[in-house]
Amino acid sequence: MELHQLSAREAVARLNRREVSPIELVEAAAARIAAVEPAVNALPTLCLDRARDHAKRLMRGEGREMEGAPGWLGGLPVSIKDLTDVAGVRTTYGSPIFKDHVPARSHPVVQRIEARGGIVIGKSNTPEFGAGGSTFNEVFGRTRNPWNTSLTCGGSTGGGAVSLATGEVWLAQGTDHGGSLRRPGTYCSVVGLRPSPGRVTRGTVNNLFAPLSVQGPMARNIPDLALFLDTMAGWCPEDPLTYDAPAVSYSQAVAEARPPRRVAFTMDYNGVLPVDRETRAICTAALKHFEAMGCIVEEYAPDLAELTDAFLALRSQNFVVDRELQMQTHRDLLKPDIIWNTELGLNATPSRIAWADRERAAFYRRMVELFRRYDIFVTPSAGTPAFDVMLRNPTSIAGRKLENYMAGSMFNAAMTLAGSPAVAVPCGFDQYGRPVGLQIAAPSRRDEVALQAAALFEQATGLDRKLPIDPRPGVVPPDEA
């Protein structure tokens, strides 16, 4: 087995036993990147010399203060999303405004990853400022889905998902607001977790007191995902929402997983959200794995009411915080979706914002009632499989027109508003070979519950064993043409 085919846990175990060195893994990653990158454009910015220097320091015994702690990576190469600063490495946020930006200081989550033996090998591609369900920007262009390079990898942690699926790296850091760790995970048949707000530091953002955007991990399988969450988790003085890492590591919790007793599921929230016919069939069939574990599986959907409009209203306030000043100085360099989202926020009345907060609180209370009866809540992770890489977003799902670029993300956005940890896990492929996934959510701050259920589901399907893959050319399926 080649080194890039190892799981993250296998690679870390070999590092810890000194059977392989950090520099060998850096060179293995560099070789794999050279082989597959031209076809996918997942890691447009590399920092190989910086990675080699870090590897050599670890091999000299430097920077090993956290060795043995939960989440210790021991010299494992990882990718960092191009929204997140890495000291001395070009970080553009996918924006022409920052196309030559080189930060002097790393984001706190990067500092944490590097302190625990993670080696940053490159920056993964993202839509401009992370806004969008397809990964493209004016600085680096489009990132392509390795299962079919004519299709999108999703967004906004698209480059991270592709870097995992192709074996360029063993772990990928990303962010999530309306599904940015979950949708690309689904489209690329990897796993992505949106942690509970405060589980991972957001450090330098201006929305420090808002829980919508989070940092989190992606991996090729759930035990690797738990390992990377252990790397990231914990209190940070630069983020007021953070709290201490759990007494029992996520890796240990996953290793000791027991099936949930009761599982709630919905395929469309009682017809409110559109879902492609084949996606619905694949996700419904996947529930048999929970039944085989002895779980009670029941259809149950909390009322979404007007949550879609509430999400847009609250999301747009984040855009005002982040983009209002750039709208004044660089409007001509911002893509239309960002301008639309920011103006929506600028035009919102205080009454409208208050209404949205009341809608969010009401939905959270309905989710509390759900979790009093059920251990986990399962939905499709996306209403439609990967679409044409040349499109900004799907224009319709199951024959229903989508009104804006976020309209296809409400399965993910609903869990964002509920404050629930939610993990995307592969559950199959459609007739065109496009990956399909489930979203497994748990009560707020019970990230281990979602991970445990996802781990047992993954063991039952065995889909993680299909990775990594070589990029595959293909055509756009006729239903997306």
Side-chain angles (χ1 to χ4, degrees), residues 277-296:
R277 175 189 53 79
E278 195 173 3
T279 295
R280 180 192 298 270
I282 292 168
C283 290
T284 301
L287 295 171
K288 71 178 184 294
H289 294 297
F290 288 113
E291 294 172 343
M293 296 176 205
C295 307
I296 297 171

Side-chain angles (χ1 to χ4, degrees), residues 33 72 76-77 92 112 172 174 312-313 337 383 386 429 435 447 479:
I33 289 167
W72 172 250
L76 188 73
T92 73
R112 192 175 188 94
L312 286 176
D337 290 334
F429 296 85
D447 302 59
D479 58 323

Side-chain angles (χ1 to χ4, degrees), residues 22-35 37 43-57 59 75-80 86-90 114 118-123 167-170:
I23 196 70
E24 286 178 287
L25 288 185
V26 169
E27 297 304 341
R32 185 63 177 169
I33 289 167
E37 190 61 17
L43 300 177
T45 300
L46 300 178
C47 47
L48 294 174
D49 287 341
R50 184 182 186 277
R52 292 178 179 113
D53 288 344
H54 189 182
K56 291 171 184 176
R57 290 197 303 273
M59 292 167 67
L76 188 73
V78 304
S79 63
I80 301 295
V86 176
V89 179
R90 184 184 182 194
E114 292 189 321
I119 295 178
V120 178
I121 201 164
K123 305 301 296 296
E168 294 181 307
V169 294
W170 290 263

Side-chain angles (χ1 to χ4, degrees), residues 59-255:
M59 292 167 67
R60 291 195 298 266
E62 302 172 19
R64 304 187 75 93
E65 291 81 6
M66 297 297 296
E67 187 169 5
W72 172 250
L73 300 179
L76 188 73
V78 304
S79 63
I80 301 295
K81 191 173 182 177
D82 200 28
L83 297 183
T84 306
D85 288 354
V86 176
V89 179
R90 184 184 182 194
T91 301
T92 73
Y93 320 120
S95 168
I97 301 171
F98 293 95
K99 62 184 178 65
D100 298 316
H101 174 59
V102 179
R105 179 178 183 265
S106 290
H107 187 284
V109 76
V110 175
Q111 295 176 22
R112 192 175 188 94
I113 291 167
E114 292 189 321
R116 283 158 179 76
I119 295 178
V120 178
I121 201 164
K123 305 301 296 296
S124 63
N125 205 21
T126 178
E128 184 178 334
F129 294 120
S134 185
T135 296
F136 68 93
N137 58 63
E138 295 300 320
V139 183
F140 297 121
R142 300 176 188 276
T143 299
R144 295 175 178 270
N145 193 314
W147 294 93
N148 178 343
T149 55
S150 293
L151 303 179
T152 181
C153 58
S156 63
T157 316
V162 175
S163 71
L164 289 166
T166 56
E168 294 181 307
V169 294
W170 290 263
L171 297 169
Q173 170 272 346
T175 63
D176 189 299
H177 186 134
S180 290
L181 283 160
R182 293 163 283 168
R183 191 88 167 268
T186 293
Y187 284 180
C188 296
S189 201
V190 299
V191 292
L193 170 73
R194 175 190 165 85
S196 299
R199 180 65 290 168
V200 178
T201 179
R202 297 156 304 144
T204 58
V205 301
N206 288 321
N207 291 293
L208 277 175
F209 295 88
L212 295 182
S213 291
V214 299
Q215 298 265 347
M218 297 186 84
R220 295 180 209 158
N221 61 53
I222 296 297
D224 286 358
L225 193 71
L227 170 68
F228 206 23
L229 184 60
D230 283 328
T231 306
M232 296 181 177
W235 176 78
C236 173
E238 297 182 67
D239 186 337
L241 298 189
T242 54
Y243 47 97
D244 289 340
V248 176
S249 72
Y250 292 109
S251 293
Q252 181 179 342
V254 163

Side-chain angles (χ1 to χ4, degrees), residues 450-467:
L451 288 170
Q452 288 172 327
L456 293 172
F457 178 83
E458 180 180 81
Q459 289 173 19
T461 67
L463 291 174
D464 60 302
R465 294 191 285 275
K466 291 182 175 290
L467 297 174

